[in-house]
Amino acid sequence: MSKKVFVGFPAALKKMTFVERPNRFILHCYDEETEQIEKVHLADPGRLIELLVEGARIYVLPSINPNRKTKWTAVYVESNGLLVSINTSYPNKLVEVMLKEAMVEELWPYRWIKSEYTYGSSRWDFLLEDKEGNQLLLEVKSVTLANDGIGMFPDAVTKRGSKHVQELTAIAKEGTIKTAILFVVQREDVEIVTGAAAIDPVFAKNLEEAARAGVQLLSYTCILTEQGIELGKAIPVDPFLKIQ
């Protein structure tokens, strides 16, 4: 891609120190400036156990909504000197910009029609369509888990994710609408993506079946800065990769 796909932050990020995660959507972080423990919203329901370790540096964004219960939102965690995005709202924002600008070469000649499109019993991230009226359902998955250059999804058992993949497979077999899954890797140290069979063997098996049925599997990395998130390079997805 010659043109950049970038989503900037509305305010400057602040660094805090991770203390604990009392529930799926809240972090307790220490603010060195105020010497207070702050409640921080976490927009990523994954386990993140390899990232959210005591003492980890958390980059947070101040809320612009004065009525919100938490005045901070977690954006990044620093892991071994590497920034990893832990905010799942940004991958979809990046992909939406990319689709509207027709910058996903693998999905040419489809164009963005609608976000949050309901088809069957589920709501899908995007509906695309080509000039002949052929449609494609695109689902976006956020990848934070990685080891030795291999990105893996999910980082926790996901019945919802398996359901999505099974439905996309069934739709692909029907042949009326094409289907695709785009894995957005929220870090820069990944070269290939696969299913995390050791964590969720059901999802990994479903992903293999999806590939056999013709569901298109795509992945892009992200470039992370304190100013915003930029979509990086396209990398392969291999659902049949066996990790030793």
Side-chain angles (χ1 to χ4, degrees):
M1 292 186 302
S2 58
K3 186 177 178 180
K4 291 184 178 180
V5 182
F6 179 81
V7 175
F9 300 130
L13 299 182
K14 182 182 178 66
K15 298 177 185 179
M16 294 186 184
T17 302
F18 174 71
V19 177
E20 62 177 353
R21 183 183 185 180
N23 61 54
R24 291 173 69 195
F25 299 105
I26 293 294
L27 304 180
H28 287 166
C29 297
Y30 178 70
D31 185 343
E32 294 180 2
E33 290 185 11
T34 63
E35 299 184 345
Q36 299 291 321
I37 300 293
E38 297 287 350
K39 185 182 292 185
V40 177
H41 175 64
L42 176 65
D44 187 334
R47 289 192 309 170
L48 306 173
I49 56 173
E50 76 289 347
L51 298 172
L52 296 177
V53 297
E54 187 176 356
R57 182 71 73 189
I58 305 292
Y59 292 66
V60 301
L61 187 67
S63 173
I64 58 176
N65 181 1
N67 297 319
R68 214 180 74 169
K69 293 182 179 179
T70 52
K71 64 179 183 178
W72 303 100
T73 296
V75 176
Y76 297 145
V77 59
E78 191 173 316
S79 177
N80 297 319
L82 177 79
L83 291 179
V84 181
S85 172
I86 51 174
N87 191 307
T88 54
S89 66
Y90 283 97
N92 280 45
K93 291 179 182 179
L94 282 167
V95 173
E96 183 167 320
V97 172
M98 199 175 177
L99 294 173
K100 287 180 176 179
E101 296 290 332
M103 295 176 62
V104 186
E105 295 179 7
E106 299 89 340
L107 295 178
W108 190 91
Y110 290 94
R111 298 294 183 267
W112 175 90
I113 297 296
K114 186 177 176 61
S115 301
E116 298 295 321
Y117 176 72
T118 299
Y119 181 88
S121 60
S122 294
R123 180 178 293 179
W124 306 98
D125 289 323
F126 299 104
L127 172 68
L128 311 180
E129 190 174 280
D130 66 14
K131 292 181 180 179
E132 284 71 46
N134 299 307
Q135 296 182 324
L136 181 145
L137 295 173
L138 177 65
E139 185 68 8
V140 178
K141 301 296 183 187
S142 174
V143 178
T144 58
L145 178 64
N147 187 28
D148 291 334
I150 301 173
M152 293 164 280
F153 184 91
D155 80 336
V157 174
T158 171
K159 292 182 179 180
R160 182 172 178 268
S162 286
K163 177 176 177 287
H164 278 159
V165 175
Q166 290 170 346
E167 290 180 3
L168 289 175
T169 301
I171 294 168
K173 288 180 178 179
E174 290 171 2
T176 305
I177 298 180
K178 292 185 179 297
T179 59
I181 301 171
L182 173 55
F183 294 95
V184 179
V185 182
Q186 299 201 76
R187 49 196 299 161
E188 300 179 44
D189 61 341
V190 169
E191 297 296 332
I192 192 168
V193 171
T194 190
I199 294 173
D200 191 341
V202 174
F203 180 89
K205 182 180 178 181
N206 288 332
L207 194 64
E208 291 181 6
E209 293 174 353
R212 293 190 184 99
V215 177
Q216 192 171 359
L217 304 179
L218 312 170
S219 183
Y220 276 80
T221 60
C222 286
I223 299 170
L224 311 178
T225 70
E226 292 190 40
Q227 289 71 47
I229 300 181
E230 179 184 335
L231 214 58
K233 63 183 179 180
I235 59 174
V237 179
D238 183 358
F240 307 102
L241 181 64
K242 303 303 179 185
I243 300 173
Q244 301 299 324

